[in-house]
Amino acid sequence: MIIGGRYGLSSKDTTPAMMISVYENLASDNPKKGFTVGIEDYVTNLSLPAKENVSILCKGTFEGKFYGLGSDGTVGANKNSIKIIGETTDKYCQAYFAYDSKKSGGFTASHLRFGDKQIRAPYLVTTPDFVACHVPAYIDQYDVLEGIKENGSFLLNSIWDVEETKKRLPDHMKKTLAQKNIKFYIINATKIAEEIGLGNRTNTIMQSAFFKIAYVIPCDLAVEQMKKMIVKSFGRKGEDVVNMNYKAVAAGGDITKVDIPAEWKDINADGFKVVRNREVPEFISSVADVMNSQNGEKLPVSTFDGREDGTFPNGTTKYEKRGVAVNVPEWIPENCIQCNQCAYVCPHAAIRPFLLTDDEVKNAPEGTTTIKGIGGTKEYQFRMQVSVLDCTGCGNCADVCPAKTKALEMKPLGSQMEEVDRWYYMDEKVGYKDEILPKEKTVKNSQFAQPLFEFSGACAGCGETPYIKALTQLFGERMLIANATGCSSIYGGSAPATPYCQSYKSNKGPAWANSLFEDNAEYGFGMAVGVEKMREKIALLLNEAKWSGEAAEAAKEWLDNMHVAEASEKASERLINAISGLNDDIAKEVLAKKHYLIKKYVWVFGGDGWAYDIGYGGVDHVIASGKDINIIVMDTEVYSNTGGQASKATPVGAVAKFAAAGMRTRKKDLGAMAMTYGYVYVAQVAMGASQNQYFKAIKEAEAYPGPSLIIAYAPCINHGLRAGMGKTQLEEKLAVECVYWANYRYNPLLEKEGKNPFTLDSKEPDWSKFQDFLNGEVRYTSLMKEFPEDAKVLFKLAEENAQWRYNYYKKLANM
Amino acid sequence: MIIGGRYGLSSKDTTPAMMISVYENLASDNPKKGFTVGIEDYVTNLSLPAKENVSILCKGTFEGKFYGLGSDGTVGANKNSIKIIGETTDKYCQAYFAYDSKKSGGFTASHLRFGDKQIRAPYLVTTPDFVACHVPAYIDQYDVLEGIKENGSFLLNSIWDVEETKKRLPDHMKKTLAQKNIKFYIINATKIAEEIGLGNRTNTIMQSAFFKIAYVIPCDLAVEQMKKMIVKSFGRKGEDVVNMNYKAVAAGGDITKVDIPAEWKDINADGFKVVRNREVPEFISSVADVMNSQNGEKLPVSTFDGREDGTFPNGTTKYEKRGVAVNVPEWIPENCIQCNQCAYVCPHAAIRPFLLTDDEVKNAPEGTTTIKGIGGTKEYQFRMQVSVLDCTGCGNCADVCPAKTKALEMKPLGSQMEEVDRWYYMDEKVGYKDEILPKEKTVKNSQFAQPLFEFSGACAGCGETPYIKALTQLFGERMLIANATGCSSIYGGSAPATPYCQSYKSNKGPAWANSLFEDNAEYGFGMAVGVEKMREKIALLLNEAKWSGEAAEAAKEWLDNMHVAEASEKASERLINAISGLNDDIAKEVLAKKHYLIKKYVWVFGGDGWAYDIGYGGVDHVIASGKDINIIVMDTEVYSNTGGQASKATPVGAVAKFAAAGMRTRKKDLGAMAMTYGYVYVAQVAMGASQNQYFKAIKEAEAYPGPSLIIAYAPCINHGLRAGMGKTQLEEKLAVECVYWANYRYNPLLEKEGKNPFTLDSKEPDWSKFQDFLNGEVRYTSLMKEFPEDAKVLFKLAEENAQWRYNYYKKLANM
C-alpha cells in the first residue's frame, strides 16, 4: 500500500507534466499487517487474513477517484478509508494521492484501488468505478467524470437541491451521466459540515457516504471502523472534535439519488473546457488553465513555442480566481475609520483601499459605496474593496479592525458576488494612487500602494505572507529576491501561477528566484555582489567618460546618488535621456547596463528550517561579509512546508515531528547570534503585535548600508491555533504580550551616534498570560494530553526560558 | 609548467602508494608567458622566445632531483630556479614537487626537467643528471643517488669536511659514485646559513651552488635573476631578509669538489636500507620505514597481511626519531624550580619531567643528573628529560622557563646526543609516576602524566599541539576524538605515523578518527550519541538483572557512578570481576559491551576554517543539541593547513590569502554566539597567557554535563612571527596583554547557583601595546609595506574592534 503525506513542489522542479500529481510514501502506522512502502511492495504484501460475510460492490478491482480541496480533509478521509478496507477485509489495496502545489485550499485527487487479486497498476486511476466530487465548484473546473466506467457511481457534494443541481451541471457531464448509465448521488456536505461545526471539512460526511454507496463492507462495520479512525486522527484535538466527526459519520447517510433524464444522452456537447467570463492573456488560456485543470501533461511541446527557456509570465495568480473562501469580508463604510490595517494584514492581498476621484465614483459599477477620504486624502472618496474570489476567508481583516463597531463582517461568499466586478473596476480602472500620501511614512499610507505579491497559494490566515506583501509595497519595484525552498517558495512560485507581479504604473516588479535550503543565503549574496559589481563598473565608466554639458551633469548626479534609492531612480532617468543620443562607446556600454542604474534591493527570504538549521551556515557567512543585503526569516518555529518537523527555532515543550514528546532544548536565538557581529542590523518582529514596529524595521533594514536580518514571528497551520487561522494576527499579539516572542531592533548606526544600538520594543510582559498562550495552541496542548507530567515540567521551563531571554534583552537595552 | 604549493594529506586519504608524493598545481604568476596549469598543457605551452649566448650543460632533457626539508626552503628555491630558466632561456621546463605529509620539517623532493624539446614525461624524475641533497642526515634515510645517470653530478650539503664526509657516506653511495663516475661536490650550507642569519634555510645557498655546477645559464645572469626572485619572494619580509639572501647567493660559490677513490667501485655493498640501532616492531621495519624512505609504492600487497582493514598501529611516531632540530634544550638542573611549565608548552612532548627512585637513579645511564624533588615529590629525584631526536628545536620551553636563571639552554643537536639513550631509559624504564600527585589539581602535577599525543609532525613551535597534549594527559585514556580535516588531522594522523599512543600502564589511549570540514561536529556527535545509547542499554540491562550479592552490589555501584569519570572506572572493574563468572544472558551482554562501561570523553577537534566557516553549521547544530560533548577550536585565524586563507576568524587588517589587501570585516565572535544558547560551556583560552586558565577551562568543559566549546588561540607559521616560532607562547601572552585576544570562561552551572556565568579572565589591557603586537607579525606588517594608507585605517579599526569587544565582555562580566 502506498499512502501519502504532503509534499510541496517548488516552481523550480515543477514541469507541466509533473504538475498534475505528486506522489509520495508514508510508512504505515500498522507495520505488523505488512503495510510497506514502495511501488513494488504494495502489490504483494497485503494478503490479509480472509474474513467472512463481507459484501463487495464489484468483481475484479474496484477503482475510486475522489476530488477534494487540500484543506477539506478529503485526503485524510481517503487514507482512513483504504486502511479500513485493508484491515477489515482480505482485499489487496492501493492508494495514490495527487496534489497541486498550492499550500492549502489546493486541488487533491485520491486514487483508490482494491480487489481480490494483486493490483499491478502503478499509475493513476483512469477508469473509475466510483467518482466523488467533494467541492461543488469543481464541476466547472475539472473534468471530474473523465473515464468513468459504464454503470459507475458519481457522488457530488452539492449545495443545490436536485433540480438546481441538474441545471448547474455542464452539458458534457449530463451527457456522460446518461450515456454511461451512471448512478448519481448528491449530498449537501457543505451545509451539514457547517451545521455540525466542522467548517469546510466535509471529509467525514463524504467518506461515510462513500461507504454507504460503495458497500465494500457492511455499513455497521464501516461506521464502527470510521469511528475508531476518528479517535485516532482527532483524539488529541479533544472530545469536541471527535464528537463532531461522529455526527458527520451519521450524516453521511443523507444522500439523495438523482434520476438522469434519458434525453441527456442526446445533448450536443463538446468536451470539458475551463469556463471564463472575461478575456485572459493567451498564456492563461493555453497553458495555465490547462495545467490548473490537471491536464498539463496533455499539452503538446508546440504550446511552449517562444517559452523554451522556461520563463513563465509573472503576476498570473490574479487569473485563478479560485473562490475557495466560505465566508468573505463585507465592508461596512459607515463604521470604517480608514486605518487600512485590514489591508496590511491580509495574507492574500485580497482587500485593498482605493482612492477615487468624483469621475471614478460616477463610473463605478452600480451600488458602489464610498466614503469621503480623511486627512491628506480628503479630495478623494475612499473605498475598501474585497476581491471575493481571491479571498481565502480567513477573517484576520475583520479581526484586526480597530473601529468601535467593526467595519468588516464575514459573509457567505455567495452573498458577495457583486464585488467581483467591483474589484476589477477598482484594480484595473481606479488603480493605486500611492502618490497622494508618501507611502514610506505610515502603515496606512503604504496600503494605497499596489502590492506586488498577491493571491498566493498560501494557507488561509498564513502568518508569513503579510510580511512579504508589505515589503513589495515599499520596495517591490526594485527588489531582487532569493527565496529558500519552503512554504515561501511554494506559494511564491507554484507553476503555472506566480503571485509576484508588476506595478501597473512602472511595469516593474520583484525579480524572484528560488534556491535550496543549503545555499539560499549564498544565492542572494551572489545577486548582491553581481549587482554591486555591475554598478561599480558603471561608476568606473562614468568617471572615465569625457562628456560635457547635460551628459556630464547627469553622470555627476548619478554618481552622487547611486546608493540612494529614490534619488538614483531620478538620476538614472536623467542619465539615460542625456546619453541615449551620444555616439560614444562608454555611453553604449552604460546603456547596455541600464537595468543596474537604479539602486536595487536584494532580499533573501526563507523560513526557520532554512535560517536556523540547514541554511544557517550560509546565513552566518553572508551576514559576516558586511555586504548590503537584507534577510527576512519567517519563523514558524517548525519546518512548515514539509509538515511541521522540529527545527532549532522550535521552543521547549512544543510538539513537532521528531519532537513528539515535546522539544527539550531552548529555542535558538538567531538574532542574538547575529548581533554579536556588531555590524548587522537585526530585528525581531510580530506584525500582529505592532504593525508599526514591523514597518519601522523593514525601513531601517533597507536603509542600513550593511547586512540586515529580520526575524518575523509567523503563526502557521502547524501550530494548531485553537482560535483558528482567522486569528493569526491576534496570536502574534498574544505572543508578544506574554513575551513568548520579543520584539526588538538592533541598529548599528545608533552605536555610531554613541547610542545603545539595541531597542527592546516589547513592553514589560504579563507573565500570568504565558501559560494561557501555550494553552491556545495544539502543538502545546497535545503534549499535555499525551505526556501530562512532562508537559508540566516543560511548560514551566518554557516560561523560565522566556524570562531568561527577556531579562537578557532587558540587560542589552540597558547596557 | 606545473609548480606546486603545499597540500597536506590526511591519514584518511593516504595510502602507502600515494604516500611518496603529492602533486598539485598552482597558477603561475606570469600568465603572459603562457605558463599554464595541467598535465597536458605544460608540455606544449612554454615556447619562449629564443635567446642567444646561453650555455647548457647537457644535450637533450636535463633532469634534476633535489632532496630537502619542508621548512628549509628547498621547494621555494627550486620553483624560482625553474622560473629563472623558463624566463631567461627558450627551454621547455617542467617541475614537480613531492612532499610527505608532515606539517613542516618533512621530506620534500623537487623534480625539475628542462630541455630544447617538448617534455613528455608526466612522471617523477627517475634518472637524474643532477642530484642535490640539502639535508646531511638524508644520506642515511633515503636512497638519494637512486637512478643517477653516469657522469652525473651530486651536490651534498655536508656539515663535515671532505675526509669526514667520505667516512660518513654509506657504502652503497660510495660504490655508486665510483661506478657511475659521478662529479661529487660538497658545501657546508648549514654552517653558512647559520652564520648569515638564515637559520636552517639553506635554500638560496644550495640554489646558487646548483646554478654554478649545472651552468644552465651564465653565472652572472643566474645571480642577477636569483636576486630578482629574492626581492619578489622576500621583499615584504623586509630588507634584512633580502640582504641575508643576497649573501647566500654569493656563498653558493663556496663548493668543494670531492675526488672519488677508484677503489670505492669494488666495495661490497648491499642496496639502500634504513639504518636502525635499536629493535623496532615489525610494522615499523616492514611498513613504516619503507614508506618513510619514500619507497611505499614498492611494498607488495603481502606486506599488509593481517592489516587488510587499513588499521595501522598507533603510537608509532616515537620510532621516527627525525632529528630535525638544529638546536635542542639542555637542562641545567641547578637552575630548575621544577614547575614543569616547559613540558606543558612543548608542542611535541619532547621534554618531560620524571620522578626517580634511588634505584632508578642508580641504574640510569652514566652522567644522568637529577635533583631532589620538592613538595609532594620529595621522596623522589627529579629530572627534566629531553628527547633530542624528537625535539624540533623551537625553543618555547627555554623561553617560558620562569626560573631566575633559565634552567634550559638551546644547544646544537650534535652536542646532546648522549640524551638519546637517557630518553629511552626515562620513558621506558622509569616511566610516569602520575599517581604521586593528583594530576587534575595543577599544571605542574599534570606533567608527570604520560602524554598520549607525542612527536607529531606539527611545525616547530606549533601553537595548537600543546593544547591537545595537555588534554591527553588529563583525559587521554578515555577519550574519543573526532578530528576535522586541517593541520590537526595531518599532524594527528599522517600515515604511516600516528602520534596518538597508549598509556604504558593501562594500554589505553585516545580513539581518534578524522572527518571532513563539513561534517566533523556531526561526526563527533554521532560518537557521543552512540556511546550514550550503549551505556543506556547497559543501565537498562543492569536494572533488569536479578542478581544478588557482589554482582548486585557491583551493578548498583556502577549505576550510581556511571556518569562520574573516575568512579565509573572503579565501578566498571568491580562489575566485570563480579559478573565474569555468571552463566547469565544479561551478564554476557553486559560483558560484550564492556568497552562502554567506563565513562567516555568525546572531544571534537578542528581549526577555525572548520569551526568558524565551513563546519560552523554543524558546530552550531551540535552545541544546540544540549548533548554532553566537548569541542576545541584551535584558532589560528586562517585556514592554516592549506596555506593561510582568510576565514571568518581572521581579524580586520590581517593579510591572508583571499584578503591580500587586509581583511575588512571584524573577526567573528564564535564564543559569544555559542553563549546565546545559555546552556553551552564556552571558554576562550591562550595557554601562553595563562597556563592555569587553560587548565581550568578543560576541566570545567569536561565536567560540564552538556556541550562545551573551547576556543584556543594558536600562533602559526602563517602569522609570520617576527620573533620566530620559538616565541609562540610569548606571542599568546602578548596577544592577551593588549587584549588582541581575550581569555574568558562562561559556565552555565554558575548561573544555576545564582552567579554570573561569565568570568572575564583577561586583565584590564594595556592598549598602548596593541599596535606593537600587530607590528610583531608579518601578516600585519606586510599590509603596512604594501598598502600603508589602508593599513593605518585598518590597524586603527582593529584596535577599535578589540576595544569594542573587550567592552562587551566587561559588560557581560558585570551583568
Side-chain angles (χ1 to χ4, degrees), chain B residues 242-278:
Chain B
V242 170
N243 283 333
M244 285 192 283
N245 277 282
Y246 279 6
K247 282 187 202 158
V249 169
D254 208 9
I255 51 173
T256 307
K257 188 155 188 228
V258 182
D259 290 326
I260 310 291
E263 64 271 23
W264 283 6
K265 212 177 289 188
D266 307 316
I267 290 175
N268 194 358
D270 288 338
F272 164 79
K273 197 171 183 316
V274 176
V275 180
R276 285 277 181 192
N277 303 323
R278 304 180 97 228

Side-chain angles (χ1 to χ4, degrees), chain B residues 175-189:
Chain B
K175 188 165 180 154
T176 302
L177 289 172
Q179 272 187 331
K180 294 200 171 173
N181 190 31
I182 304 300
K183 289 179 280 293
F184 179 29
Y185 305 90
I186 60 171
I187 183 168
N188 194 339

Side-chain angles (χ1 to χ4, degrees), chain A residues 612-613 616 620-621 624-625 648 665-666 668 672-673 676-679 746 751 804-805 808 811 815, chain B residues 612-613 616 620-621 624-625 648 665-666 668-669 672-673 676-679 746 751 804-805 808 811 815:
Chain A
Y612 284 70
D613 272 15
Y616 172 58
D620 175 65
H621 206 70
S625 74
K648 289 204 282 294
T665 48
R666 187 180 283 164
K668 168 172 169 171
M673 295 170 92
T676 62
Y677 283 103
Y679 55 78
Y746 177 94
E751 195 168 32
W804 180 82
R805 192 146 285 170
Y808 172 70
K811 282 176 192 162
M815 252 181 171
Chain B
Y612 284 70
D613 274 15
Y616 172 58
D620 175 65
H621 206 70
S625 74
K648 289 204 283 297
T665 47
R666 188 179 283 164
K668 168 173 170 170
D669 196 343
M673 294 170 93
T676 63
Y677 283 103
Y679 54 79
Y746 177 94
E751 196 168 32
W804 180 83
R805 191 144 286 169
Y808 172 70
K811 282 176 192 162
M815 252 180 170

